[in-house]
Amino acid sequence: ILRRLAAEFREAPERAIWTLLRSAEHEARLLALLMLVARFERGTDEMRERIYRRYIDEIHEHVNNWDLVDSSAPGIVGAYLERRSRRPLYALAQSRSLWERRVAIIATHRLIRRGSFADTFAITELLLGDDQDLIHKAAGWMLREVANRNRPEAEAFLRRHYRQMPRTMLRYAIEKFPETKRRAYLEGRVR
């Protein structure tokens, strides 16, 4: 329902969408983000830059739940940085804010869908020591997405890092592997 509403009202005044994002109601913030993603997709370069910059400013206070990040980071941050320097992703990955770190790794989903995996691997390396389960899940999910598109590259990364990965990250990354291969990773027998 929210996606349909977002598409229907994507032409709402931008000021109204940003006001909606500041709502105390979680569903209102999700609707605002879905509207911004829809607007970003059809927007001019100027509009996309404005949405991207404002989104970055709003992460800490208003894009502060896993589903809010997951539904918006690829379509705004990933899409904006797709043909630009990815340095902002690395700055976000090193932030003290859980939500900024999650945006950094989840934004790479856009890049993964385009066949670009290097930033996912590099950001995952930065997040290996993270103490937040929501980050472990996000990084593992993105590694699984890479494996869905290019298993050899994903496994090359996993072989180098799986012993130091948080268990949740590893489990998410290998979730779709054959049982014998999953067990080998979990038991530390992969070389």
Side-chain angles (χ1 to χ4, degrees), residues 143 154-162 165 173-174 177 185:
L143 290 173
E155 285 211 57
F157 179 85
L158 287 170
R159 279 192 301 278
R160 285 192 310 275
H161 298 289
Y162 82 96
M165 278 184 181
I174 63 174
F177 284 16
Y185 273 106

Side-chain angles (χ1 to χ4, degrees), residues 45-70:
D45 288 344
E46 180 184 318
M47 180 185 292
R48 288 177 178 162
E49 182 171 353
R50 187 173 61 245
I51 290 171
Y52 165 79
R53 295 201 183 287
R54 186 93 181 258
Y55 178 92
I56 295 296
D57 291 342
E58 299 285 344
I59 293 170
H60 188 66
E61 289 193 46
H62 301 106
V63 187
N64 56 1
N65 198 303
W66 67 268
D67 64 329
L68 299 177
V69 170
D70 296 1

Side-chain angles (χ1 to χ4, degrees), residues 124-130 136 157-170 185 188:
T124 297
E125 282 187 62
L126 290 174
L127 299 174
L128 285 173
D130 202 286
H136 305 165
F157 179 85
L158 287 170
R159 279 192 301 278
R160 285 192 310 275
H161 298 289
Y162 82 96
R163 286 187 175 98
Q164 66 194 103
M165 278 184 181
R167 198 71 161 179
T168 301
M169 186 185 295
L170 178 60
Y185 273 106

Side-chain angles (χ1 to χ4, degrees), residues 2 67 141:
L2 288 179
D67 64 329
W141 172 27

Side-chain angles (χ1 to χ4, degrees), residues 1-14 16-17 20 31 34-36 38-39:
I1 293 174
L2 288 179
R3 288 194 190 281
R4 194 176 73 234
L5 283 172
E8 186 175 333
F9 292 103
R10 73 175 172 269
E11 299 304 324
E14 198 169 310
I17 298 172
L20 195 59
L31 177 60
L34 294 172
M35 291 168 76
L36 288 169
R39 182 170 282 214

